[in-house]
Amino acid sequence: MGQRFSDEEAIFLLKSLPNNPGAHILFRRGAGEGADLSACDFSLLAALKQITGGEPDQMERLFLQSVLGKRDKAKRPDYLKRTIDRVLGDISIAPMDEVFLRGLLSPVASVVAVDGIPENPKELLHLPWKLGSIQDYVFNRMPYPCRATAGLVALSAMSVILQKKFVIQSQKGLGFNEFYMVLAPTGFGKESLRGAVLDLMRAGVDRCRISREEVTALHHAAPSSAQGLHRLLEGNASIGLLADEFSIWLAQTRAGGYREETLKYAMECYGRAMGSIHPGHTASKENPYETVNHPRLSLFCTGTKEKLIEGLTGEQGQTGAYNRFLIFIGDRELPPKRYDGLIFEPEDGLVAFVADLLRRDPEKGVVRFSKEGWESYKTVDQKTAERVRRKDAVLGGRLGEQAIKIAGMIAVADGRMEIGADDIETAYAIRMGLYHRAAAIVKDEGNIGDLHPTMAAAEQIIGVLKKHPWLYRSALGKHSRRYKTLSPRCQKDVVDLLLRDGYCDATGKKLISCIHK
């Protein structure tokens, strides 16, 4: 029998089995105290049979890589062979369809696209535990279905569900409030994304029968001023703004005025979840502003990649606005539209899960690190987020704290109040993957260094000439957004610069690269 998947692929698929969701935990952590270890061995091997198609040598090899496989009993050849034979002989355990499994795997392969832009992180396509249930709920109601987009929306929904009553005990402490931005082609169905968050919250509130003042307040529109935003926080210190204005303002902060002030105040709120905030102005003696303690503000906004990236500049980046957002950049093309099979109501079990979190006593809402989780955090953060922060504070200045929040969500989604090593690894893979994709696209299309537009266009085309042996002059606008926006005279200046400095030669309608690798 041929091997269907590599060992690495098979281990990844353990996270995605719909009928055996605990298999990944058995593999990575083993069984809980007092568990029937022989039964756990059987369960894990059953999952491996489903994935491998019943290939005994690979099943044995994978099992021995697991925590369960490290026990002396598990290493006995007679015991392991006998257990594998029992699993293979059990006709109720059928191998899963290879096409289905490969469908879970193929869009999440860790590859780099042809244009050099990393794909979205594979861990985002199949979130664990109840986060995965929220992701499925969002995905099932999307007219243009995309697992990665649904994954980011699931994280944003979890933020507003948790931020009112849950915190993370981490050094100075962290709230679960977060800023999210989805950049995708026009017409991708942003209302279905916002609607998913609103409907899930409503269903949870109705189930647990608590007043809306006891949960995060969700608003469609952004307030018109910093003072207006503060008034919202006075009414409820935990709010979620599902407002696209912020993505527009982020690209227009040079315009100044109320937009810039409102955006700045939102940025200030971001880091005050464990402190307090005041707008610093007096409304009137009769109606003064009140200090808001523990303000929790989450943003979820959508927009197009082109509009935001055109406005990205180094000057704006120094304000710290960009690194507060988890920026998700969708594919260039919309997925095929889905007409049938949309499901708009969340499953009963998901509503019950949300209701349980919404009614939680805040005193019991403290998420802590396990010893292994803290050690994993120090190791992974030092190797990944900290290195990026030193080189790119504009986009990567807060990767560590954002990854901790995601790890906390994963733990709570599994019914735990401790962040483990697995949670940290998954969270950092998601956050770093989102960062690397956004950073690559900004570098390729943006103007984060504040270059003159002509020089910015030249830099973009130089990058393309390194990848392609030649380019048509008429196609330069397709490869460089900056070049496309220039006047014909400035476009000629760009080509003259490339020829003069030896980056390419001109042959008829083509530019022949001199730097192609």
Side-chain angles (χ1 to χ4, degrees), residues 462 465 495-505 512-516:
I462 289 169
L465 288 169
V495 174
D496 289 344
L497 182 152
L498 297 173
L499 294 171
R500 184 189 68 225
D501 291 354
Y503 291 106
C504 60
D505 293 322
I512 309 300
S513 175
C514 298
I515 55 174
H516 176 243

Side-chain angles (χ1 to χ4, degrees), residues 127-435:
L127 295 175
W129 317 123
K130 287 298 184 180
L131 271 172
S133 299
I134 299 176
Q135 180 179 29
D136 291 341
Y137 159 66
V138 176
F139 180 80
N140 288 337
R141 57 185 287 158
M142 293 176 68
Y144 297 96
C146 172
R147 292 288 305 179
T149 308
L152 193 88
V153 177
L155 293 176
S156 70
M158 197 66 162
S159 288
V160 297
I161 290 168
L162 296 180
Q163 70 182 46
K164 180 83 172 183
K165 298 179 179 179
F166 288 75
V167 296
I168 299 173
Q169 191 179 73
S170 169
Q171 297 175 335
K172 295 181 180 180
L174 284 174
F176 278 96
N177 56 296
E178 193 56 87
F179 290 2
Y180 300 89
M181 185 182 302
V182 175
L183 302 178
T186 301
F188 69 95
K190 61 186 178 184
E191 287 302 327
S192 67
L193 307 183
R194 285 199 290 254
V197 179
L198 286 165
D199 291 348
L200 187 58
M201 280 287 284
R202 289 193 189 109
V205 170
D206 292 344
R207 174 67 62 89
C208 62
R209 297 179 180 178
I210 59 176
S211 67
R212 296 192 182 277
E213 288 70 27
E214 296 180 67
V215 301
T216 298
L218 300 181
H219 299 271
H220 277 289
S224 59
S225 65
Q227 291 72 31
L229 176 56
H230 188 82
R231 286 299 191 203
L232 288 180
L233 289 166
E234 286 181 351
N236 187 332
S238 178
I239 63 175
L241 296 178
L242 312 179
D244 290 343
E245 289 94 332
F246 284 99
S247 63
I248 298 171
W249 296 349
L250 194 60
Q252 299 177 346
T253 52
R254 280 181 172 172
Y258 76 91
R259 296 175 177 178
E260 184 174 359
E261 292 302 317
T262 308
L263 187 58
K264 283 183 177 179
Y265 199 63
M267 301 304 127
E268 189 176 351
C269 288
Y270 180 91
R272 299 291 186 90
M274 308 302 290
S276 60
I277 196 165
H278 190 280
H281 303 284
T282 301
S284 66
K285 292 182 179 179
E286 296 77 21
N287 191 23
Y289 295 115
E290 299 175 2
T291 296
V292 175
N293 294 316
H294 308 307
R296 311 281 165 80
L297 171 64
S298 282
L299 303 182
F300 178 80
C301 48
T302 63
T304 62
K305 177 190 67 174
E306 292 77 12
K307 285 188 177 180
L308 180 72
I309 290 179
E310 282 177 5
L312 288 176
T313 67
E315 179 184 338
Q316 291 170 301
Q318 297 307 315
T319 67
Y322 302 141
N323 64 36
R324 286 169 169 80
F325 280 89
L326 274 73
I327 300 176
F328 169 87
I329 300 182
D331 293 331
R332 296 178 184 273
E333 302 294 332
L334 283 174
K337 187 173 182 178
R338 176 168 53 183
Y339 294 92
D340 301 312
L342 296 173
I343 303 173
F344 291 93
E345 297 299 322
E347 294 182 351
D348 188 71
L350 178 57
V351 175
F353 167 73
V354 173
D356 179 66
L357 297 179
L358 293 178
R359 69 164 69 96
R360 187 74 60 93
D361 183 344
E363 293 185 1
K364 298 180 180 180
V366 180
V367 180
R368 297 176 171 84
F369 279 89
S370 69
K371 182 178 179 181
E372 296 78 11
W374 181 249
E375 292 303 316
S376 177
Y377 158 69
K378 291 190 291 184
T379 300
V380 176
D381 187 75
Q382 190 66 33
K383 291 181 178 179
T384 57
E386 186 62 17
R387 291 181 180 179
V388 169
R389 188 183 71 81
R390 293 173 182 273
K391 296 179 180 179
D392 181 15
V394 172
L395 289 178
R398 297 176 182 269
L399 298 176
E401 65 182 81
Q402 291 164 339
I404 290 174
K405 294 179 185 181
I406 296 173
M409 294 182 204
I410 294 172
V412 174
D414 187 29
R416 294 177 282 110
M417 298 299 288
E418 273 196 344
I419 297 173
D422 285 352
D423 306 325
I424 288 292
E425 292 173 10
T426 301
Y428 269 84
I430 292 171
R431 186 62 193 99
M432 298 306 298
L434 289 172
Y435 162 77

